[in-house]
Amino acid sequence: VCDYPRFAGNPVVDEFGIRSYLGAPLIDSTGMVLGTVCVVDVEPRPWGRPGLQTIKSSAAELVARLERRQADGLPLL
């Protein structure tokens, strides 16, 4: 996290001592971005391709579950 300018000086990163971040967008079937699923750690972690594949898969699974709930007429929250 410390190597990326967009996180530099971020008060949340600094306050919690975040040193690793991995995230993937939650994109529904219409292409709308609903948010992001992410993991953080206070230790540096080399997530690599396996980590990226895992978080992307988790994001896709979460969107699919949300869309199934909506199709079934259930509330999303």
Side-chain angles (χ1 to χ4, degrees), residues 6-66:
R6 73 179 186 181
F7 292 113
N10 182 308
V12 174
V13 170
D14 294 340
E15 182 178 341
F16 291 102
I18 296 170
R19 295 296 169 255
S20 297
Y21 171 91
L22 184 64
L26 299 169
I27 303 172
D28 72 9
S29 58
T30 69
M32 179 179 284
V33 178
L34 306 173
T36 304
V37 62
C38 66
V39 292
V40 297
D41 199 342
V42 295
E43 297 292 327
R45 298 226 178 256
W47 303 107
R49 286 199 184 275
L52 187 57
Q53 289 172 328
T54 298
I55 198 85
K56 284 182 174 182
S57 176
S58 295
E61 182 180 328
L62 178 55
V63 169
R65 293 177 86 183
L66 290 171

